[in-house]
Amino acid sequence: MNRPRSTAKGKGLPPNLYAAGAKAYRYKHPLTGKFHGMGQSKAKAVQAANRLNALLMPESNLVDDVMGKPLTLADYAIDRYQLQVLAERKLADSTRAVYAGLTRKLVELFGEIPLLDLSTLDISTALNPLPPKIANKLRSHLGNILKSAMSDGHIETNPALVMTPRVSEKDRKRMTLLQFQSIRLHACLWMQNAMDLGLHTLQRRSDILNMQFDQIDGNTLCVIQQKTKKYDSGYLRITLSPELIEIIRHCRDNIPSPFLVHHRPSRGRRAVHNKEHWTQIAKQTFTREFDKARTACGLFTGWDDGTAPTFHEIRALGIKLYRDQGIDPQHLAGHASAEMTKNYDSDHADIRWTEVSAGLKL
């Protein structure tokens, strides 16, 4: 339901078009919920909004409504799943944008098919010509939409869930220890620290960027994994081995930062927008710096796009090295099934930390 127009300037505007202050207009995307500036001309803004609504919103026909028009996939995917089910979840903007893109593609493929008529044959016929990775993502998203439709009582079976995911070759290559050492040699000091922490602790990029000096408690480093913190495996007390103590020592420098991995921004800029501290490293900066070192090492010249190992492959390399040394890396990596119970006692909220050791011999 569209928000009622509360001002004279907003009266008579088409759905999703809003007055932005006294002189401008903005359009709210019905799938992503994001606003887009539409300029100061009311006539042009109205014309553009009507065109966008025609493309992005399913048409409503009053006669069909009275006669009981079948509920199509487009009707449910946009009006119910996209705008209600997903809207209630606490999703990152990037994740919400991915889902919106998948929904648009599904509406393009199956939008006019009534939910009750959508079959596994329809789905496989449309998805099989697509690359395996894309087809699997669309099938999975469609399965979630239809699962929600089953929960709402619109259908009794889910034709997407009976399909077998297609096998997709892994394009990206695993990182070797030689490659790790070569990339590290060409990296800046803070990236070297990040790579060493990644190899020894097996933590993800986001968790390494969040590591702080005050999380060191005696002889342990406390890590709360952002991806798995809702499971037992997500809370780690990593015992500080001599190797890890030396890595942390290298992280200490003359820059006053609470973060183990940090830097002094170029040109003296100390902006803290979307950051806890001016020395904190943004994910984009981190990825760009790793890519720069990987290119500089020269080992991946001529490789096809998307095949050179990313920073995340350091985690896989570390797991392999631990296993080669006869050490089970599961708890250190934080791997566990989603069915494991949460990290709280029944009568109080003390977190159960998993005690693990980190100490590769290189």
Side-chain angles (χ1 to χ4, degrees):
M1 182 176 180
N2 292 296
R3 186 176 62 189
R5 311 299 177 174
S6 57
T7 65
K9 188 173 186 290
K11 290 182 178 179
L13 297 181
N16 301 312
L17 184 64
Y18 297 88
K23 297 182 179 180
Y25 297 88
R26 60 178 184 167
Y27 180 81
K28 184 178 181 181
H29 196 298
L31 295 181
T32 66
K34 290 188 176 182
F35 283 95
H36 302 269
M38 301 297 286
Q40 298 182 1
S41 170
K42 180 177 181 180
K44 291 182 178 180
V46 169
Q47 183 182 21
N50 286 330
R51 291 180 60 187
L52 287 167
N53 287 338
L55 292 171
L56 299 173
M57 297 179 66
E59 295 181 3
S60 177
N61 185 296
L62 296 178
V63 175
D64 287 341
D65 290 341
V66 174
M67 297 300 295
K69 175 187 174 183
L71 182 67
T72 65
L73 180 87
D75 296 333
Y76 187 84
I78 297 176
D79 293 345
R80 169 63 176 150
Y81 190 77
Q82 190 76 27
L83 298 182
Q84 296 182 38
V85 177
L86 289 184
E88 294 174 357
R89 301 180 185 174
K90 295 180 179 180
L91 300 175
D93 289 341
S94 57
T95 302
R96 199 176 297 280
V98 169
Y99 286 154
L102 293 173
T103 299
R104 285 195 296 272
K105 184 61 177 178
L106 290 174
V107 169
E108 177 185 325
L109 294 172
F110 312 109
E112 297 308 312
I113 300 178
L115 280 178
L116 289 172
D117 294 340
L118 185 63
S119 67
T120 301
L121 180 60
D122 293 327
I123 302 171
S124 62
T125 300
L127 298 187
N128 281 345
L130 301 177
K133 286 184 180 180
I134 297 176
N136 288 339
K137 288 181 180 181
L138 289 170
R139 182 201 60 81
S140 177
H141 189 58
L142 178 59
N144 290 332
I145 293 174
L146 296 180
K147 182 179 179 181
S148 178
M150 285 183 64
S151 178
D152 287 345
H154 295 296
I155 55 177
E156 296 183 359
T157 60
N158 190 332
L161 292 186
V162 299
M163 298 176 63
T164 303
R166 290 167 57 188
V167 177
S168 175
E169 280 191 24
K170 184 177 179 62
D171 295 329
R172 197 172 302 283
K173 308 299 182 184
R174 291 297 190 190
M175 182 184 294
T176 66
L177 182 57
L178 177 62
Q179 291 170 345
F180 172 90
Q181 293 169 336
S182 181
I183 295 172
R184 186 186 182 282
L185 183 65
H186 291 81
C188 62
L189 290 178
W190 64 258
M191 177 55 71
Q192 291 181 359
N193 293 333
M195 292 179 67
D196 291 342
L197 286 169
L199 188 67
H200 284 262
T201 69
L202 307 184
Q203 301 309 300
R204 300 171 181 86
R205 177 191 64 173
S206 59
D207 297 321
I208 291 173
L209 286 176
N210 287 330
M211 287 181 180
Q212 300 189 30
F213 289 107
D214 63 7
Q215 293 172 340
I216 299 173
D217 182 13
N219 196 41
T220 60
L221 171 64
C222 301
V223 175
I224 302 176
Q225 295 183 328
Q226 296 303 303
K227 186 174 181 179
T228 58
K229 62 183 179 181
K230 55 186 175 181
Y231 308 129
D232 286 349
S233 57
Y235 294 81
L236 305 177
R237 286 189 183 274
I238 303 175
T239 301
L240 298 181
S241 65
E243 295 81 10
L244 194 50
I245 290 175
E246 182 65 13
I247 294 171
I248 293 174
R249 187 183 70 80
H250 286 169
C251 292
R252 300 185 185 276
D253 53 25
N254 61 355
I255 300 176
S257 176
F259 294 94
L260 270 67
V261 178
H262 57 268
H263 74 150
R264 188 186 300 277
S266 61
R267 297 189 295 277
R269 291 182 299 179
R270 296 190 176 188
V272 293
H273 301 300
N274 300 319
K275 297 195 295 186
E276 295 182 34
H277 193 269
W278 62 271
T279 61
Q280 188 176 17
I281 299 172
K283 292 180 180 179
Q284 297 88 337
T285 301
F286 188 96
T287 299
R288 185 168 58 249
E289 195 65 34
F290 180 82
D291 291 348
K292 186 190 302 182
R294 186 183 60 192
T295 300
C297 80
L299 294 180
F300 307 99
T301 303
W303 284 41
D304 294 336
D305 291 341
T307 59
T310 63
F311 184 88
H312 192 72
E313 291 299 331
I314 294 176
R315 179 173 163 91
L317 172 61
I319 289 174
K320 176 186 180 300
L321 293 176
Y322 272 110
R323 284 177 175 158
D324 289 347
Q325 296 181 18
I327 302 172
D328 185 357
Q330 177 179 343
H331 293 305
L332 181 60
H335 287 160
S337 65
E339 289 74 27
M340 294 182 65
T341 55
K342 294 182 182 288
N343 301 280
Y344 300 96
D345 289 325
S346 57
D347 55 345
H348 58 78
D350 287 343
I351 296 171
R352 293 197 191 98
W353 294 87
T354 301
E355 305 284 345
V356 292
S357 299
L360 280 173
K361 306 296 182 182
L362 298 178

